[in-house]
Amino acid sequence: MDEWKPNPATKPHKKRSWYLAWKYKLMNQRALRKLCQTGAVLFLLVTVIVNIKLILDTRRAAYEEEEESAQDYDDEMLNVEVPRHPASNKKVLDVEVYSSRSKVYVAVDGTTVLEDEAREQGRGIHVIVLNQATGHVMAKRVFDTYSPHEDEAMVLFLNMVARGRILIFTIKDEGSFHLKDTAKNVLKSLGSQVAPFLSWRDMWTFVGKKGGEVYGEKHAKSPALSTWGDPVLLKTEVHLTSVEDAECHWPDTELTRRRKRFCSKVEGYGSVCSCKDPTPIEFNPDPLKDNKVFDVPVAVIAGNRPNYLYRMLRSLLSAQGVNPQMITVFIDGYYEEPMDVVELFGLSGIQHTPISIKNARVSQHYKASLTATFNLFPDAKFAVVLEEDLDISVDFFSFLSQSIHLLEEDESLYCISAWNDQGYEHTAEDPSLLYRVETMPGLGWVLRKSLYKDELEPKWPTPEKLWDWDMWMRMPEQRKGRECIIPDISRSYHFGIVGLNMNGYFHEAYFKKHKFNTVPNVQLKNVESLRKDAYETEIHRLLGEAEVLDHSKNPCEDSFVPDTEGKVYVMFIRMEQEADFTTWTQLAKCLHIWDLDVRGNHKGLWRLFRKKNHFLVVGVPASPYSSKKPSSVMPIYMEPPAKEEGAAA
Amino acid sequence: SVKQHVVRKFLGLISSHNIPVYLIDPLVLGLVDKDIEQIKSSPGGPSLECKYFCAPRDFTTFALLDKTWKHEVGLFRTAEKMGFQWLKIINKDPRLDGMDDLSGIEIPLHYIFKLASHAIHLVVFYERSGNYLWHGPLRLKQHMDRKFVPFRKLHFGRYPGAYEKPELLLISIDDLKVQIPKNPSSFLEEMSHSRFLECRYREARAFFQLYPDDASLDAVEFRKKAKSLLHLAALTLNNLGVKFWLSSGTCLGWYRQCNVIPHSKDVDLGVFIRDYKADIIPAFQKAGLPLKHKFGKVEDSLELSFQGEDDVKLDIFFFYEEDDHIWNGGTQAKSGKKFKYLFPKFTLCWTEFVELKVHVPCETLQYVEANYGPDWKIPVKTWDWKSSPSNVQYNGVWPIDEWDDVIQIY
């Protein structure tokens, strides 16, 4: 405070002397005149000072403002928080629920919170969960209970919703065909009187509190198989409770604050929001010794599947050697719930305005995410790229830490991927084994910055090209003969069932039986032999050691491979030239591995396991390893199926 | 003294949360710099007087590298318990600004911790592409307390700034252990012209709306070559200590579209003639860029051209400063005609371009307008350097007997 002279302190003193002078000088006339003169001068002086000060102040204010706006050409000054829901102090909510063949809507206090009149979409039971204290929408789901198994998903979801929440149901089109008794009983237990008798093309609306009162229910029966029930509109009132009643009493910590925020906004995440025994949101897995990927940024590519993202981030944050500070979640679109999940775990998330459509949209989202990742971490030489529908193995980072130097040093490598396309329960065996493959599996992989910046980014497919980014990356113009390193047993697991290119059947057939490593701290074997030339030596050694299988037998039969363990076998198939995969595709089909395109090959060689034996397949004569074929052996040829059969598969 | 007390408390706060900060206060560093040898040689002894932190001023300024801490809220709680009032200034993340469609998170740019009559200004530095550190401008939002501290007296924040990553030195002054840039005088020098200009990403986006980007393979290839040529040129000139800036078409590309103009065919740099060094030509040759031609001479209209990979050319124009303008020269080889390009006076600012920290004229608009006229926003594919620029002046003819010297073509 040394230089600052407090002005106000002098004021009273001045006032006092003024008063005394006035009193004294009133004594004679001359003094009075003099006083008037002095007063006028003083008044003038004060006016001038006040005016100057005013001018100075205005100018300074103007200058400050100008400086503020001049540099900041994009400053949205105000971040006005628009409440998602009205009236926190209001005690009663008006709820309107409409159910019909082609349209459903739900309005809360006049605000539409659900409206679906799209054709050929949104069939089934729509469920909305409201916070009983604030009226906020906490979850919105639709279960297509016309189709099988969706009712099970609905039961799972309803069981996860906390007691006390307000549940709103409405049917669009048809919601009863595969609505089994279990589900009907759950609805009944919520207080619905109609649910047990819901039938074909009935319209139905219901509002109730979980574990509490029923606010209303309406139902319209379908008169005949070919027609729908009349539209129903339910109007009712819901009484709000106090915020304290709706919240859990967790101890006040940093973590709790995140959890509270999350739990007051969304529903459907099970025990994260359990009052009694909430599941942890911080994991602190063991650090890795000599972690070579601690400073490698991790980009999680996400869409609007917040439940998937939740599962994915849990597994990622539980993996040994994870560094949460390096993780960024990139959300394709302005979705709130995925962002809520990201914040729950204390990670950073970035939203991306969707551009273009479908595959091109995903592709543009990838590009933006990768560019942003390298901008945010300019020192990084690599980035780990993950998707929201992957489980991450406990030794994911350990696996990368042991292999990343290869990507740095061996220019013939394109990527390291955690996923083995051919690594199914019955075809993968050795967690310490790595392969080189000519295909790019994706699903949890490491990208070299120089590859991205110098090659991929400048010519990334533009939005009007409706290309899959991964297909594009697999094209020879991009891959340029380089290979990826993969583990025998995958370090990621693809659990997504709903997705752009994904459905239940597809997932069941190609992903469900994929092997996933659960062993921590696996020491990888012979990592140096994965280098370009060393790998050839290794393959020749393997082939030299391999026992040639009996080519007169059917390779699809189990008996094709002897009942041994730990041996190396080789078989030869016909492969006329580099791109001839006729026999391979048939073999892959009958072995129940990936057959939709060719994956996992290295110079016409495939490596997998059968009955715990290493099983090598060599394409003759295209593969350079054909020379290992004994002249007596006739390469196996398998014919592609007739047309109809192909279409059915 | 209050100041020393506040600094001591702040350093205690910071170290209790394991946050590494370093001193960048120009006044204190200036004092330290005078005694630097003595300070280095007598570490840690108790000092009776308060020589550095007690000098009269309202603030002490420290720097924090963003990536070295985790934004824990705990720091601020402890600060409050210790009696500090604090203010955080956040703004958009410029590292995501160039990307049209990402809603970047806001990042903290400045913190101010106030205790009694003294305040600590903590400037947050971010690493950016181009291997440099960046700090943001300090702009108050509407609801903020404008009287929290006398903001206009702050040494950092009037403009954003760009710095090299400093080497640090732990010293003990006034009984306090503190990290400082290893070479305070060069840090202070760097600080005096650290002003940074962000590329005008919004305008660049608008430009590409009007004139969609050339995505042909040729364009991609040219950009890649131009980028690597620029990186090589920057490396070479920086090693020589020759200050340069983006000029002509390269500057226009940065200013208009934040990228290399794909049909521009070459990379253009400007250098003040006072920074000319005879080593420039051999250095470029050593870097694999042979001299293509040399026009003019050091005293007049010097211009060097180097041959990059596959026809991409690097032009270095030397600029001559007059009282009220700056100019560079041009020479037509076949006729010996001289040309002069006039620019209003300018100073240099840092910017980021193709992952490189480079200079551009701070008064870029005037510079670009001088060169390309008021219609610089409209792309032109045919360009004649002798007649198209709006600032070109005919400047006579080189005397024939000088031709061998002033027109050298290889």
Side-chain angles (χ1 to χ4, degrees):
Chain A
M1 290 240 165
D2 357 36
E3 308 102 319
W4 190 61
K5 299 227 162 59
N7 266 330
T10 57
K11 255 188 189 166
H13 169 72
K14 233 183 183 171
K15 238 183 193 166
R16 224 231 230 112
S17 66
W18 254 76
Y19 172 73
L20 285 175
W22 176 70
K23 204 174 160 189
Y24 170 74
K25 282 181 178 166
L26 261 185
M27 302 287 184
N28 64 54
Q29 275 292 8
R30 214 174 53 195
L32 187 66
R33 211 166 56 223
K34 214 172 174 189
L35 175 78
C36 283
Q37 277 173 3
T38 324
V41 169
L42 258 174
F43 177 76
L44 251 164
L45 214 75
V46 167
T47 319
V48 166
I49 289 171
V50 164
N51 271 316
I52 286 174
K53 192 173 178 326
L54 206 89
I55 290 167
L56 280 177
D57 277 355
T58 335
R59 274 177 61 179
R60 197 169 58 202
Y63 179 47
E64 261 169 19
E65 226 143 75
E66 177 195 282
E67 191 179 78
E68 231 181 85
S69 51
Q71 290 299 318
D72 239 4
Y73 67 73
D74 194 16
D75 201 359
E76 283 97 345
M77 289 300 278
L78 285 174
N79 254 334
V80 186
E81 283 251 323
V82 185
R84 250 202 295 184
H85 250 285
S88 46
N89 48 2
K90 213 186 136 202
K91 287 282 179 275
V92 178
L93 289 181
D94 296 315
V95 178
E96 266 182 50
V97 195
Y98 183 79
S99 162
S100 74
R101 176 195 172 184
S102 56
K103 174 179 178 171
V104 286
Y105 76 79
V106 173
V108 178
D109 266 357
T111 308
T112 306
V113 296
L114 165 74
E115 183 159 31
D116 184 347
E117 47 186 333
R119 295 177 59 172
E120 320 271 325
Q121 262 186 50
R123 176 181 59 199
I125 304 181
H126 291 249
V127 186
I128 285 182
V129 183
L130 301 184
N131 185 299
Q132 67 272 40
T134 60
H136 285 194
V137 176
M138 302 184 72
K140 230 196 262 195
R141 299 283 191 281
V142 54
F143 301 97
D144 179 13
T145 44
Y146 168 84
S147 307
H149 303 304
E150 287 276 311
D151 61 335
E152 295 160 20
M154 185 175 76
V155 169
L156 265 176
F157 174 74
L158 292 174
N159 285 339
M160 271 198 282
V161 172
R163 273 176 73 91
R165 300 282 187 234
I166 291 145
L167 289 162
I168 302 173
F169 296 83
T170 178
I171 286 182
K172 182 178 176 188
D173 190 357
E174 213 301 306
S176 74
F177 190 51
H178 273 100
L179 188 69
K180 301 274 163 48
D181 283 347
T182 321
K184 285 180 173 171
N185 285 333
V186 169
L187 294 176
K188 190 180 162 198
S189 74
L190 291 170
S192 166
Q193 305 204 328
V194 177
F197 315 105
L198 265 183
S199 59
W200 178 248
R201 289 182 175 172
D202 284 357
M203 295 300 127
W204 172 64
T205 57
F206 173 75
V207 181
K209 175 178 269 196
K210 185 159 177 188
E213 67 238 74
V214 172
Y215 298 107
E217 181 165 30
K218 265 196 177 174
H219 174 233
K221 238 187 140 31
S222 153
L225 268 185
S226 59
T227 54
W228 284 260
D230 289 333
V232 295
L233 175 61
L234 168 67
K235 288 188 182 185
T236 182
E237 281 185 345
V238 169
H239 293 266
L240 294 177
T241 59
S242 72
V243 176
E244 292 75 49
D245 289 348
E247 269 186 358
C248 298
H249 303 284
W250 295 307
D252 182 38
T253 64
E254 182 77 35
L255 284 184
T256 300
R257 237 164 290 138
R258 283 194 336 231
R259 193 192 292 277
K260 264 194 179 159
R261 216 182 107 75
F262 182 78
C263 294
S264 70
K265 284 181 82 178
V266 295
E267 260 290 357
Y269 292 81
S271 52
V272 174
C273 298
S274 149
C275 285
K276 254 199 199 150
D277 187 18
T279 187
I281 53 171
E282 203 179 48
F283 306 93
N284 302 313
D286 294 341
L288 271 186
K289 239 195 203 166
D290 193 19
N291 187 350
K292 300 263 186 352
V293 291
F294 191 75
D295 289 330
V296 175
V298 177
V300 178
I301 315 286
N304 190 18
R305 295 182 291 178
N307 289 74
Y308 283 11
L309 183 61
Y310 173 79
R311 170 171 168 180
M312 188 274 163
L313 292 178
R314 282 191 80 90
S315 77
L316 176 61
L317 293 170
S318 306
Q320 292 180 355
V322 67
N323 180 358
Q325 267 191 283
M326 299 304 285
I327 300 174
T328 315
V329 182
F330 293 92
I331 300 164
D332 190 12
Y334 288 102
Y335 302 115
E336 277 188 58
E337 201 167 319
M339 204 59 172
D340 294 334
V341 171
V342 171
E343 283 167 6
L344 170 71
F345 290 115
L347 299 174
S348 62
I350 291 176
Q351 289 165 316
H352 180 210
T353 318
I355 24 180
S356 193
I357 45 160
K358 290 192 178 155
N359 305 34
R361 170 169 167 177
V362 174
S363 170
Q364 293 311 304
H365 181 50
Y366 257 88
K367 183 187 180 189
S369 307
L370 297 177
T371 302
T373 300
F374 288 120
N375 281 354
L376 290 172
F377 301 97
D379 277 352
K381 284 192 210 149
F382 306 99
V384 174
V385 185
L386 300 172
E387 286 152 49
E388 67 183 348
D389 52 3
L390 296 178
D391 281 329
I392 298 305
S393 173
V394 64
D395 80 329
F396 178 78
F397 292 104
S398 156
F399 156 71
L400 295 182
S401 175
Q402 292 176 67
S403 55
I404 194 132
H405 65 285
L406 295 175
L407 193 56
E408 190 165 0
E409 293 157 15
D410 184 347
E411 290 196 344
S412 70
L413 287 178
Y414 198 46
C415 77
I416 297 176
S417 173
W419 180 258
N420 176 5
D421 283 302
Q422 309 296 17
Y424 291 84
E425 289 286 356
H426 60 291
T427 57
E429 203 55 50
D430 185 351
S432 66
L433 183 63
L434 304 179
Y435 302 133
R436 279 179 81 107
V437 295
E438 289 168 20
T439 48
M440 205 217 95
L443 300 177
W445 55 290
V446 186
L447 168 69
R448 203 194 274 129
K449 180 181 183 176
S450 58
L451 170 66
Y452 181 68
K453 280 284 167 190
D454 299 343
E455 301 183 38
L456 303 179
E457 187 189 37
K459 54 176 183 175
W460 197 271
T462 44
E464 71 278 4
K465 298 203 176 79
L466 302 179
W467 287 352
D468 280 322
W469 68 274
D470 52 339
M471 291 300 180
W472 177 78
M473 271 195 73
R474 287 180 186 125
M475 284 156 64
E477 296 89 314
Q478 276 64 252
R479 195 172 61 81
K480 294 181 178 157
R482 289 169 291 194
E483 296 186 297
C484 289
I485 287 187
I486 60 163
D488 178 53
I489 300 181
S490 299
R491 261 52 175 196
S492 61
Y493 178 76
H494 187 255
F495 63 75
I497 305 183
V498 215
L500 187 57
N501 298 321
M502 194 52 67
N503 57 52
Y505 167 74
F506 191 75
H507 185 264
E508 185 104 14
Y510 289 102
F511 290 102
K512 207 169 176 186
K513 301 230 167 75
H514 237 279
K515 198 155 187 168
F516 175 61
N517 181 54
T518 52
V519 182
N521 284 319
V522 175
Q523 187 66 41
L524 301 180
K525 190 164 67 184
N526 237 340
V527 176
E528 294 312 306
S529 72
L530 271 294
R531 289 177 195 272
K532 191 169 191 265
D533 296 334
Y535 195 66
E536 294 314 307
T537 317
E538 172 68 11
I539 296 295
H540 280 101
R541 187 193 63 74
L542 261 181
L543 284 168
E545 171 191 322
E547 202 173 297
V548 180
L549 288 162
D550 181 352
H551 282 56
S552 63
K553 288 187 177 168
N554 180 352
C556 296
E557 300 282 328
D558 233 20
S559 59
F560 186 67
V561 177
D563 292 323
T564 54
E565 267 186 35
K567 299 199 81 173
V568 183
Y569 295 112
V570 61
M571 76 172 284
F572 297 91
I573 60 170
R574 205 197 291 178
M575 184 174 169
E576 294 302 339
Q577 16 77 26
E578 235 181 285
D580 171 21
F581 298 114
T582 319
T583 302
W584 166 255
T585 306
Q586 295 319 306
L587 182 65
K589 201 162 273 176
C590 76
L591 293 180
H592 300 290
I593 57 177
W594 185 272
D595 60 1
L596 299 181
D597 55 9
V598 180
R599 302 279 177 94
N601 49 317
H602 166 84
K603 297 188 177 175
L605 165 83
W606 287 265
R607 296 175 66 179
L608 38 131
F609 281 84
R610 280 183 83 174
K611 294 184 181 170
K612 304 199 171 180
N613 300 292
H614 203 15
F615 176 70
L616 312 176
V617 181
V618 177
V620 177
S623 170
Y625 311 123
S626 301
S627 58
K628 295 281 176 179
K629 182 184 76 64
S631 52
S632 57
V633 168
M634 181 73 168
I636 289 177
Y637 173 69
M638 294 169 78
E639 217 161 328
K643 278 262 162 73
E644 302 80 31
E645 216 180 310
Chain B
S1 142
V2 176
K3 296 181 207 69
Q4 191 187 16
H5 171 69
V6 173
V7 170
R8 184 185 302 280
K9 276 200 129 179
F10 174 74
L11 290 174
L13 166 72
I14 285 297
S15 69
S16 71
H17 283 79
N18 278 321
I19 302 171
V21 299
Y22 56 98
L23 184 75
I24 52 169
D25 194 283
L27 299 177
V28 182
L29 283 182
L31 295 173
V32 166
D33 189 47
K34 281 186 203 149
D35 308 340
I36 187 77
E37 291 312 318
Q38 189 198 333
I39 291 169
K40 273 192 208 164
S41 59
S42 60
S47 66
L48 297 172
E49 45 169 358
C50 175
K51 203 171 160 191
Y52 305 99
F53 286 117
C54 298
R57 63 199 197 286
D58 299 312
F59 311 94
T60 309
T61 317
F62 286 90
L64 165 65
L65 273 183
D66 165 71
K67 72 167 189 182
T68 55
W69 81 302
K70 297 179 186 167
H71 302 260
E72 288 110 344
V73 195
L75 172 73
F76 303 102
R77 294 185 146 194
T78 319
E80 280 163 14
K81 276 183 203 144
M82 291 171 80
F84 280 106
Q85 285 178 281
W86 58 274
L87 182 78
K88 173 161 93 167
I89 281 131
I90 58 169
N91 216 322
K92 277 182 320 180
D93 189 338
R95 297 168 300 178
L96 301 177
D97 225 16
M99 315 192 45
D100 0 355
D101 28 47
L102 290 190
S103 77
I105 21 176
E106 297 212 313
I107 51 171
L109 300 181
H110 298 263
Y111 292 101
I112 292 167
F113 294 86
K114 187 170 75 171
L115 185 67
S117 61
H118 197 66
I120 304 290
H121 179 194
L122 185 59
V123 183
V124 190
F125 282 78
Y126 289 86
E127 276 182 21
R128 293 188 53 176
S129 307
N131 199 29
Y132 67 101
L133 298 180
W134 173 91
H135 75 75
L138 193 154
R139 299 288 175 268
L140 299 176
K141 303 226 166 157
Q142 266 176 351
H143 61 275
M144 283 180 172
D145 177 7
R146 268 141 213 285
K147 300 253 157 63
F148 188 73
V149 287
F151 288 102
R152 334 200 79 242
K153 291 191 191 166
L154 293 174
H155 297 291
F156 289 80
R158 185 172 176 86
Y159 300 113
Y163 290 80
E164 295 296 305
K165 294 178 188 169
E167 269 188 85
L168 298 179
L169 178 70
L170 184 68
I171 59 166
S172 175
I173 44 173
D174 296 348
D175 267 350
L176 287 170
K177 277 201 186 331
V178 63
Q179 300 237 69
I180 60 161
K182 200 171 181 181
N183 188 340
S185 63
S186 67
F187 178 84
L188 293 172
E189 211 276 324
E190 190 180 15
M191 181 185 166
S192 65
H193 43 78
S194 62
R195 185 177 164 194
F196 181 88
L197 294 181
E198 205 66 67
C199 201
R200 302 153 71 246
Y201 295 110
R202 231 168 42 162
E203 286 81 354
R205 238 169 281 154
F207 174 82
F208 283 124
Q209 292 278 312
L210 277 174
Y211 310 100
D213 199 13
D214 182 354
S216 66
L217 265 186
D218 281 354
V220 168
E221 273 304 301
F222 174 75
R223 280 187 168 146
K224 195 174 150 187
K225 285 178 202 152
K227 177 179 167 184
S228 72
L229 181 58
L230 188 56
H231 275 250
L232 187 57
L235 184 71
T236 310
L237 290 172
N238 288 340
N239 282 342
L240 289 173
V242 172
K243 195 193 279 182
F244 69 94
W245 65 89
L246 304 184
S247 191
S248 310
T250 310
C251 185
L252 178 65
W254 170 77
Y255 191 66
R256 187 172 69 186
Q257 51 207 74
C258 299
N259 206 339
V260 173
I261 300 175
H263 55 261
S264 58
K265 305 277 186 288
D266 50 21
V267 171
D268 304 311
L269 302 179
V271 171
F272 286 119
I273 195 67
R274 60 177 140 86
D275 293 329
Y276 172 80
K277 283 185 181 162
D279 306 351
I280 292 179
I281 296 173
F284 273 106
Q285 272 159 344
K286 223 174 148 185
L289 301 174
L291 186 66
K292 192 169 182 236
H293 59 242
K294 178 184 171 191
F295 292 142
K297 50 189 180 181
V298 174
E299 303 79 52
D300 184 10
S301 302
L302 184 64
E303 176 190 343
L304 301 174
S305 267
F306 297 93
Q307 187 60 59
E309 189 196 342
D310 308 313
D311 276 3
V312 186
K313 185 159 68 74
L314 172 72
D315 290 329
I316 302 182
F317 303 105
F318 290 86
F319 283 67
Y320 297 79
E321 283 184 88
E322 307 293 342
D323 287 341
D324 59 346
H325 70 279
I326 297 177
W327 63 275
N328 73 301
T331 298
Q332 187 179 29
K334 62 172 189 223
S335 65
K337 280 181 188 161
K338 289 168 72 186
F339 300 90
K340 200 172 189 180
Y341 304 87
L342 270 57
F343 294 88
K345 286 218 157 193
F346 58 85
T347 51
L348 293 179
C349 276
W350 290 113
T351 193
E352 182 183 313
F353 186 59
V354 294
E355 291 171 76
L356 207 56
K357 174 190 161 217
V358 283
H359 277 124
V360 287
C362 301
E363 300 79 9
T364 328
L365 178 62
Q366 287 92 308
Y367 188 85
V368 166
E369 273 192 340
N371 213 180
Y372 294 96
D375 290 336
W376 57 271
K377 281 189 182 172
I378 302 163
V380 180
K381 291 229 171 166
T382 49
W383 182 260
D384 179 10
W385 59 271
K386 298 177 295 308
S387 58
S388 305
S390 36
N391 59 339
V392 67
Q393 276 183 9
Y394 185 60
N395 193 23
V397 183
W398 289 104
I400 302 245
D401 60 328
E402 279 190 49
W403 280 29
D404 280 351
D405 186 31
V406 299
I407 306 175
Q408 297 181 22
I409 298 176
Y410 299 91

